[in-house]
Amino acid sequence: MWPMVLGVGALLGLLLAGGARAGQFSASLAVTQEYDDNIYVSEQEVEDHITRFTPSLAYTSLEEPRGRLLATFRPSIERYWQHSEEDEVNYNGSLEFYRQLTPRLSLEASDRLVYTPAHEATSQEVRARYHRGYRAYAHDRTNNFFDLGASWRPLRRTSLRASFSHDWESYEQDSQEYRWGVSLSQRVTARDTASLAYAYRRMIYEEDVDSKVHDVSCGWTRDLGRGWHTRASAGVSLVDEEDQQIDWSASLELSRTLPRWGATLSYHRSVSPCLLYTSPSPRDRG
């Protein structure tokens, strides 16, 4: 639980130090629709449509000269069209802080706590939905995600970012993930931006399970005008095991953002030769 305590203390401390004024509340609702052709990620494929409702209540501090604070409560309701036994609800609370240290250097910190009530076990004792990271569980589950990042803009069109994160899960046996990452974003034209990122992850699920993963990804974003954006990305993950497993992924996204609403259409494809982990990343599960 120390990441949440540290994160909350740091965020509130920075807020008080900055002398922030009273802020404002806002409410929103996000609805997403997903089609999954293999919800259990098994040889016997089972397909379904999944609808998610995510209402949100947020408090934002008034914009300070160099910083702001955002506090959010966001429950998530997940409904399966054909397999209602897989329906799920979780409760998500977060604190986010942003501070502009210099005209070119900024600091971001966030802490997110997710509580998921116990779920009845299905006919399949282990629900290996790997890409979303869920598994059958008969007890309440708690996840905490702490992130700390620094962004530096050495040139007007170039941005560098370094980050550290710690993910923790409490469920029967605690599991953790440590992540260190660096990324580069380059504005190529007035409408096009290219990105490149590397991350090293260490995932600890049990005392004798310690996986190390190297992630490399690249992406291209184009501003189509009138609030429309498109993005294409691809990545590879090298699992540092004896078999040197390599996972591949790619995605396409089309979105439109307006002052009061937004919509996104996305397609994601991942290929993994086998599942080496005893369970997925805590961040994926949250």
Side-chain angles (χ1 to χ4, degrees), residues 1 4 91-95 111-115 142-145 168:
M1 187 65 72
M4 182 182 66
Y91 305 92
N92 186 325
S94 64
L95 281 173
D111 195 79
R112 182 165 61 99
L113 182 66
V114 181
Y115 170 73
T142 304
N143 296 80
N144 190 83
F145 309 99
W168 166 83

Side-chain angles (χ1 to χ4, degrees), residues 130 235-239 245-249 271-274 277:
Y130 174 67
V236 59
S237 297
L238 173 63
V239 182
Q245 174 183 331
I246 298 179
D247 299 341
W248 305 86
S249 64
V271 179
S272 178
C274 60
Y277 312 116

Side-chain angles (χ1 to χ4, degrees), residues 212-227:
K212 302 175 179 65
V213 181
H214 303 271
D215 296 325
V216 179
S217 62
C218 60
W220 191 279
T221 303
R222 182 170 179 80
D223 183 352
L224 303 176
R226 296 188 176 182

Side-chain angles (χ1 to χ4, degrees), residues 10 12 33 56 61 64 74 77 105 108 137 145-146 159 169 175 181-182 211 214 233 259 263-264:
L12 294 180
Q33 181 64 42
S56 175
S61 65
E64 293 297 313
R74 184 183 296 116
I77 305 168
L105 181 64
E108 312 100 44
Y137 51 92
F145 309 99
F146 175 74
S159 178
E169 179 182 88
S175 57
V182 293
S211 298
H214 303 271
S233 62
T264 301

Side-chain angles (χ1 to χ4, degrees), residues 64-132:
E64 293 297 313
R66 291 191 174 182
R68 64 178 179 270
L69 175 73
L70 173 65
T72 307
F73 174 67
R74 184 183 296 116
S76 179
I77 305 168
E78 187 175 85
R79 292 290 181 259
Y80 285 73
W81 290 18
Q82 300 177 28
H83 301 82
S84 59
E85 70 275 8
E86 302 294 345
D87 292 352
E88 184 170 282
V89 177
N90 66 51
Y91 305 92
N92 186 325
S94 64
L95 281 173
E96 301 175 32
F97 179 81
Y98 170 81
R99 186 78 173 179
Q100 189 73 39
L101 302 177
T102 71
R104 294 180 179 270
L105 181 64
S106 61
L107 176 70
E108 312 100 44
S110 67
D111 195 79
R112 182 165 61 99
L113 182 66
V114 181
Y115 170 73
T116 306
H119 191 289
E120 290 185 7
T122 65
S123 58
Q124 300 193 29
E125 294 184 358
V126 178
R127 298 183 296 153
R129 290 186 284 169
Y130 174 67
H131 60 290
R132 281 194 304 278

